[in-house]
Amino acid sequence: MDSLVELCDLVAENPTQFAGKIAWLCSRCPPAELLFVGSPRVTRSQLNAVLAVSRFLSKCATTELETVRSAILAFYRSIPSSFNVNFWPHSFSGDAISSFYKDLMRYITEAAQVSPTFASDVAGFTGDVVMQTIRNGDSSISKIFLSAMCLNFPPILPGDANKLISLLLDGLDVTVPSSPRDAMLTTPTGASVQSSPLSVNHGSTDLGEAPSPAAFGVDTPFSGDAKGSGDSFGGSNDGSGAPVGIKKAVLSFEGESVESLQKLETVLQLIRLVLDKADIDLKLLEQVRGIAKGQLQSMLAFLKIRKREFTEQGQLLKVRVNKKLSVCQAAAKLHIKTLASLDTEGKSSKRLLHGALALLIEASEACLFSVWRKLRATEDLFRCLLAGISQAAVARNGQLLRILLIRYKPLVLATCAQADSGPSSQGAMFETVLKTSSEIIEFGWTKDRAPLDTFIMGLTTSIRERNYYEEEDGKEKQETPPLQLNVIYLLAELNVAVNKPEMVDMILPLFIESLEEGDGSNAGSLRLRLLDAVSRMASLGFEKSYREAVVLMTRSYLAKLSNAGTAEGKTEASEATAERVEILPAGFLLIARGITNSKLRSDYRHRLMSLCSDVGLAASGRSGAEFLGPLLPAVAEICSDFDPTLDVEPSVLKLFRNLWFYIALFGLAPPIQKAQAMTKSAPTANTVGGTTTIALQAVAGPYMWDSSWSSAVRRISLGTPPLVVSSVKWLEDELELNALHNPGSRQGSEKAGASQRTALSAALGGKVEVSAMNTISGVKATYLLAVAFLEIIRFSSDGGILNGDPSSTASRSAFNCVFEYLRSPNLMPAVSQCLTAIVNRAFETAIEWLEDRASQTGAEA
């Protein structure tokens, strides 16, 4: 078969050139006279030829290929003959038959889409083929074919569509209740969908009637019991503990076999597919709509049944439940499909749409609170129902939007109230609500803003409710309810999806207010979720919200630093630690990745590096690295498009100088000394932390911090300009360099200075002896060590090729940067000697990188 597929694909590319091959393929198909005489039997080669020719036709819409179309149409017309097991080759399994039908119908459907002529020919036969298949319902092969038709349904004539749907309805025995209560009280016990050939009961079909209004309040009929108590319907108790209506619903469900459920699902699917292909009689359409509605209403009763009320348990029950849910999904899709055919202007259609919307939302709530809500089939059903709600939003050009949002908001809140929803678990139902809400807001944004604003603000107010609790001795404060946490996440994700500054401006001030004055001002899960949401909204790059968010986050980070070393800081809650180590750094990084406006990126670069300077000045020793390190990935990201070869403002250059000074001081740079060049062993991890050990270990390794910080320092080096100015003030002015030290630390002591000079000598590979650096102060040695780290690291990355604006015509080699240090006049001899050694070490590093690259390239070759 693979060779035939390759052949037909080749021929489809140039059918004129390979006309002979086309004729050969058609000759291998079973002849029409064989298919319509007696009891035909086909061979495997003939079946493969049919698939190859139909595949060719789906790829080539050439109208002159009458022989090809005739071959496929002949086989298509003969499909009812294939329901006899003798039609197929020996040992042709059911799976093989199913695979054949699926491929054939897929190719025929695709061919009909590209060729109107072929579509017209196929439509003339589809009604007869499908109706014969339905009348041969006892055949297992006919059921396989109908399943294939449910995946790919070909064109059909309108007249045949009416006949086919009537035939499909004739095979059902379905009562159409007018309410969920009727669904539970009037469903015949043990009724089967195949019990009668024609008994469709269309009594009590007030299609405009909506379910109980209580379904749309905050206290929904399901909200009192997340497991579905089943006490809302069904009348009095029979003494066994379950309402009478519930027991009848159980009996009704258990009276439906898996086979009958499968038949009902197929019928509902076929009816929907026919409606996709052709318009049908309005009276017949009303009957279809009534049946679909009745199935959804009975679904409400089914989803209220508790597990313990089933007499059947275990895997068999799960199989039956999954099949029942599949039937419900087929009914939901059909019901949604029938709504699309309503008159868009008539009053009756508006009433029908209101009732349908109410039913879809109530059915969605039933899924949400059902004991089966975690089944994949329930999640798929929920997704289907919300797709219908989204379609209702756009119906009649958005005329239903206002009432839709009033009824939809309780469903959103109910979903957020589920403990297994939200970002930690990524529940499927939560994701569906998020997607649907985004679609509704995006559609309504230009149609009718007022109800959207009310909807959004209504969601926002749910996070401002304080967590009241009794202040008893020894009683801890209650955890933040999932509703608040998930609504915050939902609103943040909606902002990202909709991407409108007006929407951000509605929500962000309330979030910030909660962080500064509300429950979110205290360490806890609520604060963490709010900070994460604030950073997400700031990353959209709207100037006003960006500035408000960054100011808040910067102030929050510095507040954590002010508590470092205090008794309060040592006993801070785990949420407070997570805020400093995870949430705020991740938020800073998210903003750096999100904003694209050059003005805002420049502003953010300045703000973020100013924060690094403030952190470096306020911190000391190990705490300096622990507070500065988490910020480095964000700094690396915001500097990723900075061209270091261009002229840089002195204020920006000063921030880069400060950053690298603290990177060297706190030992945050990756080690730059080769193992064989080490003159003394590096201190062990147990000795790390003292001022005299950090500098040397930073040079020689091993790296003592998070590996992502090391990677960030490498990236920062590619966007850092040379740390000099024409006045050489930063090289000679001791006062300015001394100002970078925390006055309360011992980092500026003479003992620390000796350690920095030793580390500097090691960084230079021994090119300058420690004894020759006695005239260099400790603070200046730290600065020179920072320069050494910067230049050696960036030459070890791509041999000194720098990042920056790709459209820039300036040279992007790091040599332009490193030579700037040698142009500075009137330097102290020791300083000049160190700078010369730095340039040499940088050049050696570039050579080493080139040699390594050459050896790797040779090995790969």
Side-chain angles (χ1 to χ4, degrees):
M1 182 61 194
D2 291 341
S3 59
L4 285 178
V5 168
E6 294 177 5
L7 176 61
C8 82
D9 290 347
L10 178 63
V11 173
E13 294 177 1
N14 196 337
T16 304
Q17 180 179 352
F18 296 104
K21 296 295 184 183
I22 298 174
W24 179 81
L25 283 172
C26 292
S27 68
R28 294 177 61 85
C29 294
E33 56 272 18
L34 170 67
L35 295 172
F36 296 105
V37 176
S39 299
R41 176 186 290 275
V42 295
T43 64
R44 285 180 182 271
S45 62
Q46 289 175 328
L47 293 176
N48 290 338
V50 169
L51 288 184
V53 173
S54 60
R55 178 184 176 93
F56 164 77
L57 197 60
S58 70
K59 293 177 175 292
C60 183
T62 304
T63 57
E64 290 78 10
L65 300 178
E66 183 62 34
T67 304
V68 176
R69 289 197 300 272
S70 298
I72 298 304
L73 289 172
F75 191 88
Y76 182 49
R77 293 174 57 195
S78 71
I79 281 180
S81 300
S82 69
F83 302 150
N84 187 331
V85 68
N86 294 326
F87 176 88
W88 302 93
H90 292 298
S91 70
F92 211 70
S93 66
D95 289 341
I97 295 174
S98 175
S99 177
F100 173 83
Y101 280 147
K102 288 177 182 178
D103 288 341
L104 176 65
M105 297 314 303
R106 174 162 58 89
Y107 294 144
I108 289 177
T109 304
E110 291 174 356
Q113 291 172 351
V114 298
S115 173
T117 302
F118 184 69
S120 178
D121 293 339
V122 170
F125 300 118
T126 297
D128 185 59
V129 168
V130 180
M131 284 187 281
Q132 287 189 57
T133 304
I134 293 171
R135 294 189 180 102
N136 197 345
D138 294 335
S139 167
S140 59
I141 299 179
S142 66
K143 294 177 182 178
I144 294 175
F145 175 68
L146 286 179
S147 296
M149 292 286 283
C150 289
L151 297 176
N152 293 281
F153 197 87
I156 186 171
L157 298 176
D160 289 344
N162 284 315
K163 295 177 183 178
L164 176 57
I165 289 182
S166 296
L167 180 64
L168 290 169
L169 295 182
D170 287 347
L172 298 181
D173 178 26
V174 178
T175 300
V176 184
S178 61
S179 69
R181 180 182 294 276
D182 292 340
M184 304 199 63
L185 293 178
T186 64
T187 302
T189 301
S192 170
V193 296
Q194 58 183 4
S195 59
S196 174
L198 176 57
S199 54
V200 181
N201 186 347
H202 301 298
S204 185
T205 55
D206 180 8
L207 300 179
E209 181 186 68
S212 170
F216 308 111
V218 175
D219 296 324
T220 68
F222 304 100
S223 60
D225 181 4
K227 293 184 178 301
S229 67
D231 297 333
S232 300
F233 299 134
S236 61
N237 191 295
D238 66 351
S240 63
V244 174
I246 288 290
K247 294 186 70 65
K248 287 187 175 182
V250 173
L251 292 174
S252 176
F253 168 70
E254 293 183 344
E256 296 176 314
S257 66
V258 174
E259 182 180 0
S260 67
L261 290 172
Q262 177 63 60
K263 176 183 177 181
L264 178 57
E265 180 187 8
T266 300
V267 168
L268 295 175
Q269 288 177 335
L270 287 174
I271 293 175
R272 176 176 58 83
L273 292 169
V274 171
L275 295 180
D276 281 335
K277 300 296 181 179
D279 295 329
I280 65 171
D281 181 74
L282 290 179
K283 185 176 180 180
L284 193 60
L285 182 63
E286 289 295 318
Q287 294 178 352
V288 170
R289 185 181 297 121
I291 288 177
K293 177 186 175 183
Q295 287 295 317
L296 285 181
Q297 289 174 330
S298 65
M299 180 198 76
L300 301 178
F302 165 72
L303 291 176
K304 290 289 290 179
I305 304 173
R306 294 170 292 190
K307 286 183 180 179
R308 65 173 180 267
E309 290 164 349
F310 291 104
T311 57
E312 192 175 55
Q313 297 293 329
Q315 185 62 29
L316 185 59
L317 173 62
K318 187 175 181 180
V319 170
R320 288 163 49 76
V321 168
N322 274 302
K323 181 51 63 177
K324 179 68 173 180
L325 291 170
S326 296
V327 172
C328 295
Q329 183 176 349
K333 289 182 177 180
L334 178 57
H335 189 55
I336 294 167
K337 178 63 184 176
T338 62
L339 300 178
S341 61
L342 292 175
D343 175 19
T344 57
E345 300 300 331
K347 291 183 178 180
S348 61
S349 69
K350 184 176 181 179
R351 180 172 59 89
L352 289 171
L353 284 172
H354 281 184
L357 173 61
L359 180 57
L360 290 174
I361 291 180
E362 189 169 4
S364 301
E365 286 182 334
C367 292
L368 185 64
F369 293 106
S370 169
V371 293
W372 311 106
R373 65 182 178 275
K374 291 187 178 181
L375 290 179
R376 176 67 177 273
T378 309
E379 294 173 348
D380 290 342
L381 173 58
F382 186 78
R383 188 178 300 110
C384 171
L385 292 167
L386 262 68
I389 294 172
S390 180
Q391 290 182 31
V394 305
R396 300 172 67 96
N397 200 29
Q399 293 180 20
L400 298 181
L401 188 60
R402 188 176 299 271
I403 190 170
L404 180 148
L405 290 172
I406 293 173
R407 295 178 169 185
Y408 179 64
K409 188 184 78 171
L411 175 63
V412 175
L413 293 175
T415 306
C416 291
Q418 297 289 331
D420 55 359
S421 298
S424 59
S425 60
Q426 295 294 322
M429 290 186 176
F430 183 91
E431 291 299 321
T432 301
V433 166
L434 172 60
K435 178 177 181 293
T436 304
S437 301
S438 299
E439 292 172 350
I440 293 174
I441 293 174
E442 288 174 348
F443 168 77
W445 197 260
T446 57
K447 296 290 183 181
D448 192 356
R449 275 284 304 279
L452 284 179
D453 291 350
T454 302
F455 169 72
I456 293 168
M457 293 304 296
L459 295 178
T460 306
T461 55
S462 64
I463 71 167
R464 304 178 68 184
E465 301 174 359
R466 291 187 175 273
N467 302 322
Y468 293 106
Y469 60 96
E470 299 179 7
E471 295 183 358
E472 301 176 358
D473 292 341
K475 184 175 181 179
E476 297 181 356
K477 182 179 178 179
Q478 296 177 351
E479 293 184 359
T480 304
L483 172 64
Q484 289 179 287
L485 299 179
N486 292 333
V487 167
I488 294 169
Y489 177 72
L490 176 75
L491 288 170
E493 290 297 297
L494 283 176
N495 272 286
V496 173
V498 177
N499 200 20
K500 301 289 185 183
E502 299 89 346
M503 185 172 170
V504 176
D505 290 342
M506 266 195 292
I507 297 173
L508 185 63
L510 299 175
F511 282 13
I512 293 178
E513 178 186 341
S514 183
L515 282 166
E516 294 181 334
E517 301 176 4
D519 289 347
S521 61
N522 302 317
S525 57
L526 179 62
R527 179 174 178 82
L528 297 182
R529 187 62 58 83
L530 283 168
L531 286 170
D532 176 70
V534 166
S535 65
R536 285 176 180 271
M537 287 185 274
S539 69
L540 298 176
F542 305 126
E543 185 167 357
K544 181 176 179 291
S545 55
Y546 150 78
R547 294 184 186 278
E548 292 175 351
V550 171
V551 168
L552 170 71
M553 294 169 64
T554 300
R555 189 164 57 241
S556 300
Y557 200 81
L558 289 174
K560 296 298 178 185
L561 179 61
S562 65
N563 291 334
T566 65
E568 180 183 354
K570 292 179 180 179
T571 59
E572 66 181 5
S574 59
E575 289 88 352
T577 301
E579 178 182 339
R580 173 180 64 83
V581 175
E582 300 175 15
I583 300 300
L584 285 173
F588 285 125
L589 177 59
L590 186 65
I591 296 172
R593 287 174 174 168
I595 55 178
T596 57
N597 179 274
S598 58
K599 177 184 175 182
L600 289 188
R601 287 190 68 83
S602 177
D603 177 82
Y604 188 54
R605 188 181 300 115
H606 197 281
R607 289 177 182 272
L608 198 54
M609 295 181 70
S610 296
L611 174 60
C612 291
S613 292
D614 294 339
V615 168
L617 181 61
S620 62
R622 189 178 187 90
S623 68
E626 292 174 344
F627 276 87
L628 181 59
L631 299 175
L632 294 179
V635 175
E637 185 65 34
I638 200 61
C639 292
S640 61
D641 58 347
F642 190 81
D643 191 341
T645 63
L646 302 179
D647 291 336
V648 183
E649 294 181 2
S651 60
V652 176
L653 191 55
K654 182 177 180 179
L655 291 174
F656 274 107
R657 184 277 314 267
N658 294 354
L659 176 65
W660 280 96
F661 185 91
Y662 292 125
I663 286 175
L665 188 65
F666 301 139
L668 289 166
I672 57 176
Q673 187 182 46
K674 289 287 186 178
Q676 62 270 24
M678 293 174 56
T679 57
K680 59 189 298 185
S681 61
T684 64
N686 293 330
T687 64
V688 171
T691 303
T692 59
T693 59
I694 288 180
L696 189 57
Q697 179 156 354
V699 173
Y703 193 68
M704 63 188 87
W705 311 111
D706 191 299
S707 60
S708 66
W709 303 354
S710 170
S711 176
V713 172
R714 291 185 182 277
R715 292 184 63 197
I716 294 171
S717 72
L718 300 178
T720 301
L723 304 181
V724 294
V725 290
S726 58
S727 66
V728 299
K729 177 181 179 183
W730 293 351
L731 290 175
E732 296 300 311
D733 194 332
E734 297 285 338
L735 292 177
E736 185 160 354
L737 290 174
N738 280 322
L740 298 177
H741 277 312
N742 184 335
S745 72
R746 294 176 295 178
Q747 292 167 331
S749 66
E750 184 54 35
K751 183 177 181 181
S755 174
Q756 298 298 88
R757 287 190 288 270
T758 302
L760 176 59
S761 178
L764 300 178
K767 296 181 183 297
V768 181
E769 297 292 335
V770 177
S771 59
M773 300 181 185
N774 289 334
T775 57
I776 300 177
S777 66
V779 68
K780 191 170 294 182
T782 303
Y783 166 76
L784 291 170
L785 182 59
V787 174
F789 273 123
L790 166 61
E791 300 303 338
I792 294 173
I793 288 171
R794 71 167 143 204
F795 273 94
S796 66
S797 303
D798 295 333
I801 302 300
L802 304 176
N803 59 255
D805 184 358
S807 63
S808 173
T809 57
S811 173
R812 296 171 60 199
S813 169
F815 282 107
N816 285 351
C817 296
V818 75
F819 287 147
E820 287 294 324
Y821 301 100
L822 301 184
R823 297 191 180 114
S824 301
N826 304 320
L827 295 175
M828 291 173 49
V831 172
S832 179
Q833 188 179 5
C834 288
L835 289 174
T836 302
I838 289 173
V839 173
N840 289 332
R841 284 283 292 117
F843 182 76
E844 292 171 359
T845 303
I847 296 300
E848 291 170 359
W849 180 87
L850 289 170
E851 291 175 346
D852 291 342
R853 179 66 178 272
S855 62
Q856 292 174 4
T857 304
E860 292 172 359

